[in-house]
């Protein structure tokens, strides 16, 4: 099946630094990718929709200057957490919508997630 | 819709029994629904999907039922196994829409 690769799976960074998380669709093209944040024992919270070749669409309450999203190609989106603080520590998950014209719908596949710890 | 801040409801079943996980969705305009399974520390894994022009779809050991009248979705797992223990999320979206929203999720625990 379709695979979405997320890297790094775990990262620890110091407060004030920036960290980049990559999301790649390995065997399909994805014009649209999504970034979620998940707190322990909670549901996934949509942060932003990443659109190839254009600006990301952020959900209400998500700071676009803090969570920079770049979707430079049909297989790669990146999330950069800038000036990270301990409260940014979380599980970040990306997903990619497979580009295909199919009556059955455009299936969305998820990456394995990235654990960010800010110390 | 999203349910950030709520604790996950739980369902505990005996191995071999059937499991039914329920989900209420919020947007009447949603026409595409997906069930995901998430194991601890991992990303969600696609299980099965259904379009709004259907009310039932079957996969291997799983069945999804859709009731558009009451905006309700259910996932049935037959002969539940310990490996089915995970958190299950329903997600709603509109075909060709960029938005996908997740329900609160249900933690399924299978007792041997």
């Amino acid at each position: 099946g379709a695979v979405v690769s997320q890297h790094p799976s775990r990262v620890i960074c110091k407060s004030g630094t920036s960290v980049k998380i990559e999301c790649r669709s390995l065997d399909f093209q994805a014009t649209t990718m999504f970034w979620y944040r998940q707190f322990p024992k909670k549901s996934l919270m949509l942060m932003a929709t990443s659109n190839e070749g254009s600006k990301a669409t952020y959900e209400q309450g998500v700071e676009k200057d803090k969570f920079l999203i770049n979707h430079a190609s049909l297989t790669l989106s990146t999330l950069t957490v800038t000036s990270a603080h301990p409260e940014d520590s979380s599980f970040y998950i990306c997903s990619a919508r497979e580009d295909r014209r199919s009556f059955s719908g455009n299936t969305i596949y998820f990456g394995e997630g990235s654990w960010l710890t800010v110390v | 819709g999203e349910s950030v801040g709520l604790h996950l409801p739980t369902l505990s079943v005996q191995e071999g029994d059937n499991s039914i996980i329920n989900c209420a969705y919020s947007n009447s305009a949603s026409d595409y629904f997906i069930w995901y399974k998430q194991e601890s520390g991992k990303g969600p894994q696609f299980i099965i999907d259904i379009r709004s022009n259907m009310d039932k779809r079957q996969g291997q050991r799983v069945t999804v039922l859709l009731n558009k009248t009451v905006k309700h979705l259910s996932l049935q797992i037959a002969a539940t196994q310990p490996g089915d223990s995970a958190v299950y999320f329903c997600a709603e979206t509109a075909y060709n829409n960029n938005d996908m929203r997740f329900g609160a999720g249900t933690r399924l625990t299978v007792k041997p």
Side-chain angles (χ1 to χ4, degrees):
Chain A
V3 176
V4 174
S5 173
Q6 204 170 325
H7 177 81
S9 57
R10 290 183 179 273
V11 58
I12 300 173
C13 70
K14 292 183 177 180
S15 287
T17 63
S18 296
V19 60
K20 180 185 290 186
I21 302 171
E22 293 186 346
C23 180
R24 293 180 185 273
S25 57
L26 295 186
D27 51 0
F28 64 94
Q29 292 185 332
T31 301
T32 305
M33 294 186 177
F34 306 88
W35 287 97
Y36 294 84
R37 184 172 180 176
Q38 187 177 31
F39 293 101
K41 300 184 179 181
K42 300 295 194 298
S43 187
L44 285 75
M45 181 184 75
L46 179 65
M47 298 174 65
T49 302
S50 172
N51 304 297
E52 187 270 336
S54 63
K55 292 182 179 180
T57 304
Y58 289 83
E59 294 300 301
Q60 191 172 11
V62 178
E63 300 176 61
K64 60 181 179 182
D65 293 332
K66 179 166 187 62
F67 298 100
L68 300 179
I69 292 173
N70 186 308
H71 195 149
S73 76
L74 288 173
T75 59
L76 173 64
S77 175
T78 60
L79 168 69
T80 301
V81 182
T82 63
S83 187
H85 291 284
E87 56 265 31
D88 298 326
S89 299
S90 189
F91 190 48
Y92 292 88
I93 306 173
C94 74
S95 67
R97 182 194 293 272
E98 183 179 5
D99 290 345
R100 58 183 169 124
R101 295 190 179 89
S102 168
F103 185 75
S104 66
N106 293 351
T107 303
I108 294 176
Y109 299 94
F110 283 81
E112 284 297 311
S114 298
W115 287 99
L116 170 62
T117 302
V118 184
V119 297
Chain B
E2 294 184 67
S3 302
V4 176
L6 297 180
H7 290 283
L8 297 174
T10 59
L11 173 66
S12 183
V13 301
Q14 205 68 38
E15 181 179 359
D17 288 351
N18 297 333
S19 302
I20 299 176
I21 300 171
N22 297 304
C23 177
Y25 64 93
S26 56
N27 188 354
S28 57
S30 295
D31 60 6
Y32 181 50
F33 307 88
I34 308 173
W35 278 101
Y36 289 93
K37 172 186 180 183
Q38 186 178 28
E39 297 175 329
S40 181
K42 296 184 178 180
Q45 177 187 4
F46 174 90
I47 300 175
I48 191 169
D49 59 358
I50 188 169
R51 289 284 310 279
S52 59
N53 60 350
M54 304 171 68
D55 52 23
K56 180 179 180 179
R57 192 168 186 216
Q58 287 184 293
Q60 187 177 13
R61 280 202 308 121
V62 294
T63 301
V64 55
L65 300 177
L66 174 63
N67 185 330
K68 295 181 288 295
T69 303
V70 295
K71 293 190 287 189
H72 183 268
L73 200 65
S74 70
L75 175 70
Q76 300 178 0
I77 304 174
T80 315
Q81 302 168 0
D84 295 327
S85 294
V87 177
Y88 290 81
F89 293 98
C90 68
E92 60 178 303
T93 186
Y95 186 66
N96 286 334
N97 193 344
N98 279 340
D99 234 331
M100 171 170 277
R101 305 286 171 162
F102 282 80
T106 297
R107 181 177 299 281
L108 174 65
T109 301
V110 182
K111 295 177 289 187

